[in-house]
């Protein structure tokens, strides 16, 4: 897997430092208020699990599953596979946590849907932000890193379902994207 990597953009130690900083910002923003971290699966599971362990105030955890990419690197239609239950949403202060804010369509749609379902407040926290790619006007309330306009994998982010377990963020060698889709994993 490591042999498929072209360039490491954020190393493990850089990631730890970035998450420490975001965790402090989130802690400051929510001290004295109840809130629920809503991790957007699958991509944000690694980030969310590291992030919550650095937030030393009470919080609850919920999940939703959404996918906007097929097996390649181009955006497809947003599909929501499941939402938190009604009482995990209604009247709650939600912090939507996602792996990357790209065009913004995913978080824009999810924020809207959670508000419709009765959330008291919906803020957003992303591991990576690609501001140059934005198609809808949306800024994350918290973000760990800004990233250039490049398809990246690792630390939760996949290509064709793989590479989520890389401990750093990297781009892949050109030949990997060009190769035919791997078989079932
Ligand atoms: P948006 O709706 O903001 O365009 O897209 C957000 C989703 O697109 C992310 O949650 C992620 O699944 C996918 N995505 C966007 N850019 C990248 C990237 O560089 N690498 C990977 N692996 N996924 C990406
Ligand atoms: Mg994804």
């Amino acid at each position: 897997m490591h042999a498929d990597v072209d360039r490491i953009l954020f190393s493990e130690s850089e990631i730890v430092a970035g998450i420490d900083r975001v965790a402090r910002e989130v802690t400051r923003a929510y001290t004295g208020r109840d809130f629920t971290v809503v991790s957007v699966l699958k991509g944000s599971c690694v980030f969310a699990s590291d992030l919550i362990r650095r937030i030393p105030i009470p919080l609850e955890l919920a999940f939703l599953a959404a996918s906007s990419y097929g097996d390649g690197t181009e955006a497809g239609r947003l599909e929501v596979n499941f939402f938190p239950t009604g009482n995990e949403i209604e009247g709650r202060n939600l912090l939507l946590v996602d792996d990357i804010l790209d065009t913004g369509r995913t978080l824009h749609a999810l924020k809207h849907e959670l508000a419709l379902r009765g959330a008291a407040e919906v803020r957003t926290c992303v591991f990576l932000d690609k501001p140059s790619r934005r198609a809808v006007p949306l800024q994350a309330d918290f973000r760990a890193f800004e990233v250039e306009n490049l398809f990246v994998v690792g630390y939760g982010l996949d290509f064709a379902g793989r590479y989520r377990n890389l401990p750093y963020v990297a781009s892949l060698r050109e030949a990997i994207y060009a190769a035919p889709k791997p078989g079932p994993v």
Side-chain angles (χ1 to χ4, degrees):
M1 208 175 44
H2 297 279
D4 296 347
V5 165
D6 176 42
R7 181 157 66 96
I8 294 181
L9 285 99
F10 302 106
S11 69
E12 290 187 69
S13 58
E14 287 171 323
I15 290 173
V16 168
I19 294 178
D20 273 340
R21 182 180 41 75
V22 179
R24 282 195 299 273
E25 292 172 12
V26 170
T27 302
R28 209 174 308 126
Y30 287 99
T31 296
R33 305 176 69 208
D34 288 329
F35 75 116
T36 301
V37 167
V38 182
S39 166
V40 180
L41 298 173
K42 303 172 184 169
S44 84
C45 75
V46 178
F47 173 50
S49 65
D50 279 347
L51 179 71
I52 61 170
R53 284 176 290 176
R54 291 181 173 82
I55 300 175
I57 56 172
L59 61 80
E60 289 182 47
L61 183 60
F63 296 95
L64 66 77
S67 46
S68 65
Y69 272 57
D71 282 338
T73 61
E74 284 305 309
R77 204 170 49 86
L78 176 70
E79 271 176 51
V80 177
N81 303 313
F82 66 83
F83 266 100
T85 61
N87 61 24
E88 286 177 309
I89 299 175
E90 283 155 33
R92 303 294 186 109
N93 300 316
L94 305 181
L95 180 62
L96 256 181
V97 172
D98 206 357
D99 54 359
I100 185 164
L101 181 54
D102 186 36
T103 65
R105 289 196 183 97
T106 305
L107 284 185
H108 185 80
L110 294 178
K111 265 186 94 160
H112 181 71
E113 184 62 32
L114 290 167
L116 278 181
R117 292 178 185 222
E121 180 191 88
V122 186
R123 294 203 220 178
T124 54
C125 176
V126 296
F127 175 55
L128 299 177
D129 184 12
K130 263 189 207 171
S132 61
R133 291 258 310 159
R134 209 74 89 244
V136 298
L138 185 97
Q139 255 188 294
D141 296 290
F142 309 92
R143 72 164 182 203
F145 300 103
E146 184 172 324
V147 69
E148 61 196 273
N149 184 9
L150 188 68
F151 190 82
V152 294
V153 298
Y155 200 73
L157 292 140
D158 73 303
F159 171 61
R162 294 183 171 174
Y163 305 101
R164 295 192 197 275
N165 53 325
L166 282 175
Y168 47 74
V169 174
S171 59
L172 294 176
R173 291 190 297 107
E174 205 54 53
I176 306 297
Y177 299 123
K181 189 180 169 312
V185 280

